[in-house]
Amino acid sequence: MLPYTYVLFRDIQKTKADYYKEHGCGLSFQGAVQMLANAGICTDGIPENPDFLSWNLTSYQELRRLVGQIPIALTEIQNIKQAVHNDIRRLSVYNHVQIAIEACCSDMQLISVDYFSVCYVLEGSCLLKILSGERRLHSGELCIIPPGIPHALFTMPEDLVVNIVSAKEHFTENFSQLLYRDNIVSAFFRHALFQEARDPIFFTMHASRNIRSLIQHLFAEFITKDSYSETLFNNYLQIFYANIIRASENPDEVSLPSGQTISRTRMPAILNYVRQNYHTLTLDTLARHFHYDSAYLSKQIRLATGKNYSDIVTELKIAEARELLAASEMSIEKIAETVGYHSSDHFGYVFKKETGLSPRQYRRQTATIGP
């Protein structure tokens, strides 16, 4: 790793807290980093990353200490593109997926990013501001904000709020199999991806030891950045999202935006059936199973998801193929057959069209098995 100029997250927190105490208003993350750089409170070199695997999961104070040691590269912050229009700051996030602790004492200017944002309160509370109003979240509450929704979060130094962002493309690529389940969160993600949902969703998820362990490993892999960390990070994140979906199955713990309902028609069941049977399923057999005309069903799937039936099936097949290529020793011919392609040549053509890489190239870049 080459040396670079960085500041520590704890110094950013202290700068923001001191600014709030002195001026009575918040300071942006970029503003705090720039103040530290101007004051010369930065370091050149190769930082030592905190060991998140040393966290015993019982002390949030220990988690704060570890997060405080995370190095923030000045170039990453200074190169963030931003534009302000109608008092909304539009930002480009420098990672397609990332995990962080929400920095305290923000300036509360509404920010818009083309990412899913998961805000999870481990301790204390936070104030969420969106165009339609404000809502305070307390310990154990979780909010998922769709891409492009202007929002701002305000926390104090004693609050501990985990923030995970995922680009739409990254979410679709890595978590497509979570989209076609018959539950309220999967429906929310489908709506946000294909129909531009305009409101967040809120519910409660107890911070069990399992959830804290997932957060621990997400931080550990995010800062490691070796040849395996991205694959491992995505696996842990998929488990984290699956736990969110599991928690949402208790309807008493889910809160939809005022006036919004999610359809309880047969479409979620149809999409779930596709997810379970896509290896051999055709549109005609799907239509017969649910007693619909195939042309009518095709149109309804398109209206519900924004995608053609064939596109959905291809996504599911390629998602499974990617997993098998990265984590198994199966031959490419066998993988093609397993995911539902009769010809390995056709499979290779479709795989490269969807990913930009041939199956062999993808395996060389991502394989997690031994030689």
Side-chain angles (χ1 to χ4, degrees):
M1 179 186 295
L2 297 174
Y4 60 93
T5 304
Y6 63 90
V7 295
L8 296 180
F9 182 75
R10 67 186 179 210
D11 294 327
I12 296 172
Q13 285 283 77
K14 184 178 186 304
T15 299
K16 288 167 66 67
D18 290 346
Y19 187 92
Y20 183 78
K21 186 176 181 180
E22 179 179 353
H23 299 279
C25 60
L27 177 67
S28 71
F29 194 90
Q30 294 90 337
V33 170
Q34 192 59 52
M35 285 182 65
L36 288 168
N38 292 342
I41 306 175
C42 50
T43 304
D44 294 320
I46 300 176
E48 182 178 347
N49 286 328
D51 180 14
F52 279 93
L53 297 182
S54 68
W55 179 35
N56 64 11
L57 305 182
T58 61
S59 170
Y60 284 148
Q61 190 59 34
E62 176 66 8
L63 177 60
R64 295 173 194 274
R65 185 187 69 80
L66 290 166
V67 171
Q69 295 174 354
I70 293 177
I72 309 295
L74 260 62
T75 54
E76 284 190 340
I77 304 304
Q78 293 168 344
N79 290 340
I80 291 177
K81 296 178 181 179
Q82 56 180 305
V84 178
H85 180 67
N86 293 334
D87 292 327
I88 296 172
R89 184 188 302 150
R90 288 173 169 80
L91 298 180
S92 63
V93 180
Y94 48 84
N95 294 299
H96 58 265
V97 62
Q98 66 185 51
I99 182 171
I101 294 297
E102 188 68 31
C104 68
C105 304
S106 75
D107 58 6
M108 291 302 283
Q109 181 175 22
L110 291 175
I111 295 173
S112 173
V113 292
D114 198 26
Y115 283 53
F116 285 103
S117 181
V118 176
C119 302
Y120 183 37
V121 184
L122 285 178
E123 188 174 51
S125 66
C126 72
L127 180 67
L128 171 67
K129 177 183 176 182
I130 57 177
L131 288 172
S132 59
E134 297 180 351
R135 175 167 174 161
R136 181 162 292 278
L137 306 178
H138 299 278
S139 178
E141 289 189 275
L142 186 148
C143 170
I144 306 174
I145 304 169
I149 302 303
H151 65 280
L153 282 171
F154 186 87
T155 68
M156 294 298 289
E158 62 269 18
D159 300 318
L160 191 61
V161 180
V162 174
N163 192 315
I164 302 173
V165 297
S166 302
K168 288 193 296 185
E169 296 78 10
H170 177 269
F171 188 92
T172 304
E173 181 177 297
N174 290 279
F175 311 122
S176 59
Q177 294 200 32
L178 296 177
L179 296 176
Y180 303 106
R181 296 180 180 271
D182 185 12
N183 59 68
I184 200 167
V185 175
S186 293
F188 171 83
F189 281 128
R190 290 195 302 270
H191 191 70
L193 284 168
F194 308 133
Q195 299 178 342
E196 297 188 359
R198 305 310 301 169
D199 291 289
I201 186 172
F202 307 87
F203 53 91
T204 301
M205 184 172 74
H206 176 62
S208 64
R209 185 176 182 85
N210 176 49
I211 295 298
R212 282 174 280 153
S213 178
L214 287 171
I215 291 171
Q216 174 191 42
H217 283 87
L218 283 167
F219 271 113
E221 297 304 334
F222 180 68
I223 65 171
T224 299
K225 292 182 170 60
D226 63 18
S227 57
Y228 300 98
S229 58
E230 183 174 357
T231 298
L232 290 168
F233 184 93
N234 289 338
N235 288 339
Y236 284 121
L237 188 55
Q238 187 169 35
I239 297 171
F240 185 80
Y241 276 122
N243 275 272
I244 293 176
I245 291 173
R246 172 188 282 174
S248 75
E249 291 180 354
N250 181 351
D252 295 331
E253 295 183 342
V254 178
S255 174
L256 291 173
S258 176
Q260 181 183 348
T261 60
I262 291 182
S263 174
R264 293 291 187 177
T265 65
R266 300 188 76 186
M267 186 55 68
I270 291 170
L271 295 173
N272 190 51
Y273 187 83
V274 173
R275 183 185 61 82
Q276 293 175 344
N277 299 280
Y278 61 86
H279 298 100
T280 58
L281 193 64
T282 67
L283 179 60
D284 286 340
T285 55
L286 176 67
R288 284 197 299 270
H289 181 82
F290 286 95
H291 310 290
Y292 288 113
D293 174 77
S294 59
Y296 173 80
L297 181 59
S298 176
K299 181 179 179 180
Q300 294 306 307
I301 290 174
R302 176 73 180 179
L303 288 172
T305 69
K307 295 190 175 185
N308 295 323
Y309 168 80
S310 59
D311 294 333
I312 293 171
V313 171
T314 297
E315 271 188 10
L316 292 167
K317 288 181 176 181
I318 297 304
E320 183 182 3
R322 289 162 69 102
E323 292 178 6
L324 292 173
L325 286 165
S328 82
E329 294 179 320
M330 291 174 63
S331 69
I332 292 174
E333 291 75 15
K334 184 62 176 178
I335 290 174
E337 179 184 350
T338 299
V339 302
Y341 287 95
H342 299 300
S343 163
S344 59
D345 289 339
H346 181 57
F347 164 67
Y349 170 79
V350 175
F351 189 92
K352 186 167 186 178
K353 182 181 178 183
E354 293 295 314
T355 68
L357 298 171
S358 71
R360 286 185 175 81
Q361 290 171 327
Y362 185 85
R363 169 165 273 171
R364 284 197 296 270
Q365 288 193 13
T366 64
T368 58
I369 58 176

PDB file of all heavy atoms in Angstrom, residues 189-212:
ATOM      1  N   PHE A 189     -37.791  -2.808  -1.694  1.00  0.00           N
ATOM      2  CA  PHE A 189     -36.602  -2.736  -2.545  1.00  0.00           C
ATOM      3  C   PHE A 189     -36.980  -2.793  -4.022  1.00  0.00           C
ATOM      4  O   PHE A 189     -36.422  -2.069  -4.852  1.00  0.00           O
ATOM      5  CB  PHE A 189     -35.638  -3.868  -2.210  1.00  0.00           C
ATOM      6  CG  PHE A 189     -34.805  -3.617  -0.979  1.00  0.00           C
ATOM      7  CD1 PHE A 189     -34.742  -4.549   0.029  1.00  0.00           C
ATOM      8  CD2 PHE A 189     -34.080  -2.447  -0.842  1.00  0.00           C
ATOM      9  CE1 PHE A 189     -33.972  -4.335   1.163  1.00  0.00           C
ATOM     10  CE2 PHE A 189     -33.303  -2.212   0.288  1.00  0.00           C
ATOM     11  CZ  PHE A 189     -33.259  -3.162   1.288  1.00  0.00           C
ATOM     12  N   ARG A 190     -37.929  -3.682  -4.377  1.00  0.00           N
ATOM     13  CA  ARG A 190     -38.355  -3.751  -5.783  1.00  0.00           C
ATOM     14  C   ARG A 190     -38.924  -2.415  -6.229  1.00  0.00           C
ATOM     15  O   ARG A 190     -38.627  -1.922  -7.327  1.00  0.00           O
ATOM     16  CB  ARG A 190     -39.406  -4.859  -5.965  1.00  0.00           C
ATOM     17  CG  ARG A 190     -38.870  -6.273  -5.831  1.00  0.00           C
ATOM     18  CD  ARG A 190     -39.858  -7.287  -6.376  1.00  0.00           C
ATOM     19  NE  ARG A 190     -41.145  -7.241  -5.727  1.00  0.00           N
ATOM     20  CZ  ARG A 190     -41.466  -7.950  -4.647  1.00  0.00           C
ATOM     21  NH1 ARG A 190     -40.564  -8.738  -4.079  1.00  0.00           N
ATOM     22  NH2 ARG A 190     -42.676  -7.875  -4.122  1.00  0.00           N
ATOM     23  N   HIS A 191     -39.764  -1.835  -5.375  1.00  0.00           N
ATOM     24  CA  HIS A 191     -40.395  -0.562  -5.725  1.00  0.00           C
ATOM     25  C   HIS A 191     -39.336   0.533  -5.873  1.00  0.00           C
ATOM     26  O   HIS A 191     -39.391   1.351  -6.794  1.00  0.00           O
ATOM     27  CB  HIS A 191     -41.401  -0.179  -4.641  1.00  0.00           C
ATOM     28  CG  HIS A 191     -42.288   0.972  -5.015  1.00  0.00           C
ATOM     29  ND1 HIS A 191     -43.262   0.882  -5.978  1.00  0.00           N
ATOM     30  CD2 HIS A 191     -42.327   2.241  -4.559  1.00  0.00           C
ATOM     31  CE1 HIS A 191     -43.873   2.053  -6.092  1.00  0.00           C
ATOM     32  NE2 HIS A 191     -43.323   2.894  -5.250  1.00  0.00           N
ATOM     33  N   ALA A 192     -38.343   0.543  -4.961  1.00  0.00           N
ATOM     34  CA  ALA A 192     -37.303   1.565  -5.018  1.00  0.00           C
ATOM     35  C   ALA A 192     -36.421   1.404  -6.252  1.00  0.00           C
ATOM     36  O   ALA A 192     -36.009   2.393  -6.871  1.00  0.00           O
ATOM     37  CB  ALA A 192     -36.451   1.503  -3.752  1.00  0.00           C
ATOM     38  N   LEU A 193     -36.154   0.160  -6.634  1.00  0.00           N
ATOM     39  CA  LEU A 193     -35.283  -0.090  -7.781  1.00  0.00           C
ATOM     40  C   LEU A 193     -35.981   0.155  -9.106  1.00  0.00           C
ATOM     41  O   LEU A 193     -35.387   0.692 -10.045  1.00  0.00           O
ATOM     42  CB  LEU A 193     -34.772  -1.533  -7.734  1.00  0.00           C
ATOM     43  CG  LEU A 193     -33.660  -1.811  -6.719  1.00  0.00           C
ATOM     44  CD1 LEU A 193     -33.465  -3.307  -6.565  1.00  0.00           C
ATOM     45  CD2 LEU A 193     -32.355  -1.152  -7.154  1.00  0.00           C
ATOM     46  N   PHE A 194     -37.243  -0.242  -9.193  1.00  0.00           N
ATOM     47  CA  PHE A 194     -37.913  -0.263 -10.496  1.00  0.00           C
ATOM     48  C   PHE A 194     -38.982   0.808 -10.665  1.00  0.00           C
ATOM     49  O   PHE A 194     -39.389   1.100 -11.777  1.00  0.00           O
ATOM     50  CB  PHE A 194     -38.539  -1.641 -10.724  1.00  0.00           C
ATOM     51  CG  PHE A 194     -37.565  -2.777 -10.514  1.00  0.00           C
ATOM     52  CD1 PHE A 194     -37.909  -3.879  -9.764  1.00  0.00           C
ATOM     53  CD2 PHE A 194     -36.293  -2.720 -11.061  1.00  0.00           C
ATOM     54  CE1 PHE A 194     -37.018  -4.915  -9.560  1.00  0.00           C
ATOM     55  CE2 PHE A 194     -35.391  -3.758 -10.862  1.00  0.00           C
ATOM     56  CZ  PHE A 194     -35.754  -4.854 -10.117  1.00  0.00           C
ATOM     57  N   GLN A 195     -39.464   1.384  -9.563  1.00  0.00           N
ATOM     58  CA  GLN A 195     -40.551   2.358  -9.677  1.00  0.00           C
ATOM     59  C   GLN A 195     -40.279   3.640  -8.905  1.00  0.00           C
ATOM     60  O   GLN A 195     -41.176   4.437  -8.697  1.00  0.00           O
ATOM     61  CB  GLN A 195     -41.867   1.722  -9.196  1.00  0.00           C
ATOM     62  CG  GLN A 195     -42.274   0.502 -10.021  1.00  0.00           C
ATOM     63  CD  GLN A 195     -43.542  -0.148  -9.502  1.00  0.00           C
ATOM     64  OE1 GLN A 195     -43.957   0.076  -8.373  1.00  0.00           O
ATOM     65  NE2 GLN A 195     -44.173  -0.947 -10.327  1.00  0.00           N
ATOM     66  N   GLU A 196     -39.051   3.813  -8.405  1.00  0.00           N
ATOM     67  CA  GLU A 196     -38.638   5.051  -7.742  1.00  0.00           C
ATOM     68  C   GLU A 196     -39.500   5.370  -6.525  1.00  0.00           C
ATOM     69  O   GLU A 196     -40.224   6.366  -6.489  1.00  0.00           O
ATOM     70  CB  GLU A 196     -38.641   6.221  -8.722  1.00  0.00           C
ATOM     71  CG  GLU A 196     -37.652   6.041  -9.864  1.00  0.00           C
ATOM     72  CD  GLU A 196     -37.521   7.283 -10.720  1.00  0.00           C
ATOM     73  OE1 GLU A 196     -38.202   8.280 -10.444  1.00  0.00           O
ATOM     74  OE2 GLU A 196     -36.733   7.237 -11.665  1.00  0.00           O
ATOM     75  N   ALA A 197     -39.371   4.545  -5.475  1.00  0.00           N
ATOM     76  CA  ALA A 197     -40.051   4.826  -4.208  1.00  0.00           C
ATOM     77  C   ALA A 197     -39.609   6.185  -3.683  1.00  0.00           C
ATOM     78  O   ALA A 197     -38.444   6.572  -3.803  1.00  0.00           O
ATOM     79  CB  ALA A 197     -39.727   3.736  -3.184  1.00  0.00           C
ATOM     80  N   ARG A 198     -40.543   6.914  -3.084  1.00  0.00           N
ATOM     81  CA  ARG A 198     -40.248   8.281  -2.657  1.00  0.00           C
ATOM     82  C   ARG A 198     -40.206   8.446  -1.150  1.00  0.00           C
ATOM     83  O   ARG A 198     -40.086   9.563  -0.650  1.00  0.00           O
ATOM     84  CB  ARG A 198     -41.303   9.246  -3.233  1.00  0.00           C
ATOM     85  CG  ARG A 198     -41.478   9.193  -4.735  1.00  0.00           C
ATOM     86  CD  ARG A 198     -40.168   9.295  -5.485  1.00  0.00           C
ATOM     87  NE  ARG A 198     -39.428  10.517  -5.213  1.00  0.00           N
ATOM     88  CZ  ARG A 198     -38.171  10.721  -5.582  1.00  0.00           C
ATOM     89  NH1 ARG A 198     -37.491   9.773  -6.188  1.00  0.00           N
ATOM     90  NH2 ARG A 198     -37.571  11.859  -5.301  1.00  0.00           N
ATOM     91  N   ASP A 199     -40.316   7.366  -0.379  1.00  0.00           N
ATOM     92  CA  ASP A 199     -40.344   7.481   1.072  1.00  0.00           C
ATOM     93  C   ASP A 199     -39.517   6.378   1.708  1.00  0.00           C
ATOM     94  O   ASP A 199     -39.403   5.275   1.162  1.00  0.00           O
ATOM     95  CB  ASP A 199     -41.781   7.401   1.590  1.00  0.00           C
ATOM     96  CG  ASP A 199     -42.621   8.602   1.214  1.00  0.00           C
ATOM     97  OD1 ASP A 199     -42.376   9.669   1.783  1.00  0.00           O
ATOM     98  OD2 ASP A 199     -43.506   8.462   0.364  1.00  0.00           O
ATOM     99  N   PRO A 200     -38.949   6.646   2.900  1.00  0.00           N
ATOM    100  CA  PRO A 200     -38.221   5.608   3.623  1.00  0.00           C
ATOM    101  C   PRO A 200     -39.186   4.593   4.244  1.00  0.00           C
ATOM    102  O   PRO A 200     -40.405   4.780   4.246  1.00  0.00           O
ATOM    103  CB  PRO A 200     -37.480   6.383   4.727  1.00  0.00           C
ATOM    104  CG  PRO A 200     -37.613   7.835   4.366  1.00  0.00           C
ATOM    105  CD  PRO A 200     -38.874   7.945   3.566  1.00  0.00           C
ATOM    106  N   ILE A 201     -38.624   3.522   4.778  1.00  0.00           N
ATOM    107  CA  ILE A 201     -39.384   2.536   5.536  1.00  0.00           C
ATOM    108  C   ILE A 201     -38.695   2.372   6.884  1.00  0.00           C
ATOM    109  O   ILE A 201     -37.464   2.431   6.978  1.00  0.00           O
ATOM    110  CB  ILE A 201     -39.473   1.191   4.783  1.00  0.00           C
ATOM    111  CG1 ILE A 201     -40.383   0.215   5.508  1.00  0.00           C
ATOM    112  CG2 ILE A 201     -38.111   0.584   4.542  1.00  0.00           C
ATOM    113  CD1 ILE A 201     -40.672  -1.059   4.703  1.00  0.00           C
ATOM    114  N   PHE A 202     -39.482   2.206   7.949  1.00  0.00           N
ATOM    115  CA  PHE A 202     -38.947   2.141   9.307  1.00  0.00           C
ATOM    116  C   PHE A 202     -39.437   0.873   9.998  1.00  0.00           C
ATOM    117  O   PHE A 202     -40.576   0.462   9.808  1.00  0.00           O
ATOM    118  CB  PHE A 202     -39.431   3.337  10.145  1.00  0.00           C
ATOM    119  CG  PHE A 202     -39.172   4.679   9.524  1.00  0.00           C
ATOM    120  CD1 PHE A 202     -40.088   5.235   8.634  1.00  0.00           C
ATOM    121  CD2 PHE A 202     -38.038   5.392   9.827  1.00  0.00           C
ATOM    122  CE1 PHE A 202     -39.858   6.480   8.056  1.00  0.00           C
ATOM    123  CE2 PHE A 202     -37.810   6.645   9.274  1.00  0.00           C
ATOM    124  CZ  PHE A 202     -38.715   7.182   8.375  1.00  0.00           C
ATOM    125  N   PHE A 203     -38.589   0.283  10.813  1.00  0.00           N
ATOM    126  CA  PHE A 203     -39.032  -0.789  11.693  1.00  0.00           C
ATOM    127  C   PHE A 203     -37.969  -1.042  12.754  1.00  0.00           C
ATOM    128  O   PHE A 203     -36.926  -0.390  12.775  1.00  0.00           O
ATOM    129  CB  PHE A 203     -39.369  -2.075  10.929  1.00  0.00           C
ATOM    130  CG  PHE A 203     -38.281  -2.563  10.018  1.00  0.00           C
ATOM    131  CD1 PHE A 203     -37.322  -3.442  10.454  1.00  0.00           C
ATOM    132  CD2 PHE A 203     -38.239  -2.129   8.696  1.00  0.00           C
ATOM    133  CE1 PHE A 203     -36.330  -3.893   9.611  1.00  0.00           C
ATOM    134  CE2 PHE A 203     -37.244  -2.585   7.842  1.00  0.00           C
ATOM    135  CZ  PHE A 203     -36.283  -3.465   8.315  1.00  0.00           C
ATOM    136  N   THR A 204     -38.247  -1.988  13.637  1.00  0.00           N
ATOM    137  CA  THR A 204     -37.373  -2.285  14.761  1.00  0.00           C
ATOM    138  C   THR A 204     -36.649  -3.608  14.534  1.00  0.00           C
ATOM    139  O   THR A 204     -37.248  -4.583  14.103  1.00  0.00           O
ATOM    140  CB  THR A 204     -38.185  -2.363  16.071  1.00  0.00           C
ATOM    141  OG1 THR A 204     -38.851  -1.120  16.287  1.00  0.00           O
ATOM    142  CG2 THR A 204     -37.287  -2.681  17.254  1.00  0.00           C
ATOM    143  N   MET A 205     -35.335  -3.617  14.820  1.00  0.00           N
ATOM    144  CA  MET A 205     -34.555  -4.848  14.761  1.00  0.00           C
ATOM    145  C   MET A 205     -33.626  -4.882  15.967  1.00  0.00           C
ATOM    146  O   MET A 205     -32.710  -4.074  16.080  1.00  0.00           O
ATOM    147  CB  MET A 205     -33.753  -4.939  13.459  1.00  0.00           C
ATOM    148  CG  MET A 205     -32.994  -6.243  13.298  1.00  0.00           C
ATOM    149  SD  MET A 205     -32.239  -6.444  11.650  1.00  0.00           S
ATOM    150  CE  MET A 205     -30.868  -5.285  11.779  1.00  0.00           C
ATOM    151  N   HIS A 206     -33.887  -5.799  16.872  1.00  0.00           N
ATOM    152  CA  HIS A 206     -33.087  -5.898  18.093  1.00  0.00           C
ATOM    153  C   HIS A 206     -31.628  -6.165  17.754  1.00  0.00           C
ATOM    154  O   HIS A 206     -31.326  -7.037  16.925  1.00  0.00           O
ATOM    155  CB  HIS A 206     -33.640  -7.020  18.982  1.00  0.00           C
ATOM    156  CG  HIS A 206     -32.825  -7.272  20.210  1.00  0.00           C
ATOM    157  ND1 HIS A 206     -32.642  -6.317  21.182  1.00  0.00           N
ATOM    158  CD2 HIS A 206     -32.122  -8.371  20.612  1.00  0.00           C
ATOM    159  CE1 HIS A 206     -31.874  -6.809  22.142  1.00  0.00           C
ATOM    160  NE2 HIS A 206     -31.544  -8.057  21.826  1.00  0.00           N
ATOM    161  N   ALA A 207     -30.722  -5.433  18.398  1.00  0.00           N
ATOM    162  CA  ALA A 207     -29.290  -5.591  18.135  1.00  0.00           C
ATOM    163  C   ALA A 207     -28.758  -6.814  18.882  1.00  0.00           C
ATOM    164  O   ALA A 207     -28.028  -6.705  19.865  1.00  0.00           O
ATOM    165  CB  ALA A 207     -28.529  -4.334  18.543  1.00  0.00           C
ATOM    166  N   SER A 208     -29.123  -7.983  18.389  1.00  0.00           N
ATOM    167  CA  SER A 208     -28.683  -9.234  19.001  1.00  0.00           C
ATOM    168  C   SER A 208     -27.175  -9.410  18.830  1.00  0.00           C
ATOM    169  O   SER A 208     -26.525  -8.669  18.095  1.00  0.00           O
ATOM    170  CB  SER A 208     -29.408 -10.412  18.355  1.00  0.00           C
ATOM    171  OG  SER A 208     -29.050 -10.515  16.988  1.00  0.00           O
ATOM    172  N   ARG A 209     -26.642 -10.406  19.484  1.00  0.00           N
ATOM    173  CA  ARG A 209     -25.214 -10.693  19.333  1.00  0.00           C
ATOM    174  C   ARG A 209     -24.902 -11.021  17.874  1.00  0.00           C
ATOM    175  O   ARG A 209     -23.837 -10.645  17.358  1.00  0.00           O
ATOM    176  CB  ARG A 209     -24.811 -11.848  20.254  1.00  0.00           C
ATOM    177  CG  ARG A 209     -23.306 -12.115  20.249  1.00  0.00           C
ATOM    178  CD  ARG A 209     -22.906 -13.195  21.239  1.00  0.00           C
ATOM    179  NE  ARG A 209     -21.466 -13.385  21.234  1.00  0.00           N
ATOM    180  CZ  ARG A 209     -20.604 -12.672  21.929  1.00  0.00           C
ATOM    181  NH1 ARG A 209     -21.056 -11.699  22.715  1.00  0.00           N
ATOM    182  NH2 ARG A 209     -19.305 -12.912  21.860  1.00  0.00           N
ATOM    183  N   ASN A 210     -25.807 -11.717  17.208  1.00  0.00           N
ATOM    184  CA  ASN A 210     -25.603 -12.041  15.798  1.00  0.00           C
ATOM    185  C   ASN A 210     -25.518 -10.779  14.944  1.00  0.00           C
ATOM    186  O   ASN A 210     -24.639 -10.661  14.075  1.00  0.00           O
ATOM    187  CB  ASN A 210     -26.752 -12.934  15.311  1.00  0.00           C
ATOM    188  CG  ASN A 210     -26.660 -13.232  13.831  1.00  0.00           C
ATOM    189  OD1 ASN A 210     -25.614 -13.626  13.339  1.00  0.00           O
ATOM    190  ND2 ASN A 210     -27.760 -13.038  13.120  1.00  0.00           N
ATOM    191  N   ILE A 211     -26.396  -9.818  15.173  1.00  0.00           N
ATOM    192  CA  ILE A 211     -26.380  -8.567  14.413  1.00  0.00           C
ATOM    193  C   ILE A 211     -25.094  -7.797  14.695  1.00  0.00           C
ATOM    194  O   ILE A 211     -24.449  -7.269  13.784  1.00  0.00           O
ATOM    195  CB  ILE A 211     -27.609  -7.711  14.749  1.00  0.00           C
ATOM    196  CG1 ILE A 211     -28.900  -8.408  14.301  1.00  0.00           C
ATOM    197  CG2 ILE A 211     -27.500  -6.326  14.101  1.00  0.00           C
ATOM    198  CD1 ILE A 211     -28.993  -8.636  12.810  1.00  0.00           C
ATOM    199  N   ARG A 212     -24.684  -7.735  15.974  1.00  0.00           N
ATOM    200  CA  ARG A 212     -23.448  -7.029  16.314  1.00  0.00           C
ATOM    201  C   ARG A 212     -22.232  -7.713  15.679  1.00  0.00           C
ATOM    202  O   ARG A 212     -21.289  -7.052  15.254  1.00  0.00           O
ATOM    203  CB  ARG A 212     -23.298  -6.947  17.834  1.00  0.00           C
ATOM    204  CG  ARG A 212     -24.183  -5.854  18.467  1.00  0.00           C
ATOM    205  CD  ARG A 212     -24.119  -5.882  19.971  1.00  0.00           C
ATOM    206  NE  ARG A 212     -24.993  -6.927  20.502  1.00  0.00           N
ATOM    207  CZ  ARG A 212     -24.797  -7.549  21.666  1.00  0.00           C
ATOM    208  NH1 ARG A 212     -23.745  -7.273  22.390  1.00  0.00           N
ATOM    209  NH2 ARG A 212     -25.647  -8.454  22.084  1.00  0.00           N
TER     210      ARG A 212
END
